Amino acid sequence: MSNRRMVGVIKVSLYVVIFAILLWAYFSGAFQFIVDNPGDLIYLTKQHIKLVGISSILAILVAVSLGVFITRPRFKKFEGVVMNFANVGQTVPSLAILALVMSYMGLGWQTAVFALWFNSLLPILRNTLAGINNVDSSIIDAGRGMGMKERQILWKLELPNAMYAIMGGIRTAVVINVGSAALAFLIGGGGLGDLIFTGISLYDTGIMLAGTVPVIILAISIDFLLGGFEKLVISKGLKRDLDMA
């Protein structure tokens, strides 16, 4: 099966799963709960977006900067140490991270933001490294041949050519973050997890799905927006090369 056909099958499967969840939500009364309690939903959605937004922006700033830092020739010797540390950190379950951080920072949204930030680092860091390390060496040599300085090579050659991989890591991390942010409710961080875990504790599927459906819609919407941003920041020449690959 060709890659394009496989992608098409995966997309159709996802649409079927999402449609089934929406159907389940409709018949379990989730939409009626949302209609009856719009204020609660808006308030919790704002909390959820705040958690995801702050933690994701901080993760992007730290992971991309760290990725650029350890790909510089002078600091490349730290690449293995940093990646091993990040890989080990990623093996820790989200709930365990929340519990560990809670013991030092207490309850509240700041603990949830820290845990989400930590959980988002690896996908962005790994893709930043892969993107920069896989830039064709002939492009770098051509830049040096033209008299470019290292800073110019980074900003004009390496980062633009690595942007496709970097954006892939950011989209993956942010979408995972939207789902993981539901756990913030367990430590008093708020968000749509409030409805999900309330529904679970009351054995009320309608309330649980009233929190789950907005999380799914939020993840799809954010990924769509980041996809649009990706098209803006990646040059047309690179996109054409990737399409032909």
Side-chain angles (χ1 to χ4, degrees):
M1 183 183 292
S2 66
N3 288 338
R4 183 170 294 182
R5 192 170 181 180
M6 185 174 291
V7 170
V9 170
I10 292 172
K11 281 184 177 178
V12 171
S13 302
L14 284 174
Y15 291 147
V16 170
V17 170
I18 292 170
F19 180 74
I21 293 174
L22 292 176
L23 209 59
W24 183 24
Y26 176 77
F27 285 110
S28 63
F31 292 124
Q32 188 59 49
F33 180 87
I34 292 172
V35 170
D36 293 340
N37 303 277
D40 291 345
L41 185 74
I42 292 171
Y43 177 72
L44 295 174
T45 302
K46 285 181 178 177
Q47 283 187 330
H48 206 93
I49 292 173
K50 183 180 176 183
L51 288 169
V52 173
I54 295 175
S55 59
S56 297
I57 289 172
L58 291 176
I60 291 167
L61 291 174
V62 173
V64 173
S65 301
L66 189 59
V68 170
F69 178 75
I70 59 177
T71 52
R72 300 307 89 197
R74 188 187 302 178
F75 304 104
K76 205 168 178 59
K77 56 187 176 185
F78 298 113
E79 182 176 327
V81 176
V82 172
M83 284 309 298
N84 284 331
F85 179 77
N87 282 327
V88 170
Q90 194 69 23
T91 61
V92 182
S94 301
L95 273 175
I97 293 175
L98 283 173
L100 288 170
V101 177
M102 185 178 64
S103 62
Y104 290 100
M105 299 179 67
L107 298 173
W109 74 274
Q110 71 278 2
T111 305
V113 167
F114 183 87
L116 291 170
W117 165 81
F118 185 79
N119 206 38
S120 306
L121 287 176
L122 183 61
I124 304 173
L125 177 61
R126 181 181 286 164
N127 277 39
T128 302
L129 278 177
I132 293 177
N133 286 335
N134 286 324
V135 175
D136 195 335
S137 58
S138 62
I139 296 176
I140 308 298
D141 292 338
R144 290 200 175 105
M146 293 170 65
M148 282 186 171
K149 297 179 179 177
E150 290 302 318
R151 183 178 298 178
Q152 291 175 307
I153 290 174
L154 172 65
W155 287 102
K156 294 185 177 180
L157 298 179
E158 290 183 300
L159 284 180
N161 280 282
M163 192 53 71
Y164 191 79
I166 294 172
M167 283 303 302
I170 290 173
R171 289 176 69 175
T172 301
V174 174
V175 170
I176 291 174
N177 223 357
V178 173
S180 301
L183 298 173
F185 166 74
L186 298 174
I187 56 171
L192 291 164
D194 189 340
L195 292 177
I196 295 172
F197 286 100
T198 300
I200 292 173
S201 62
L202 295 176
Y203 299 102
D204 189 322
T205 308
I207 296 177
M208 184 193 73
L209 289 174
T212 304
V213 170
V215 170
I216 295 172
I217 294 173
L218 195 59
I220 294 173
S221 302
I222 290 177
D223 186 58
F224 179 76
L225 290 174
L226 288 175
F229 180 71
E230 182 181 285
K231 290 178 181 176
L232 289 176
V233 297
I234 297 177
S235 69
K236 293 180 180 177
L238 283 174
K239 277 189 287 189
R240 190 161 51 244
D241 290 344
L242 290 167
D243 290 339
M244 293 172 64

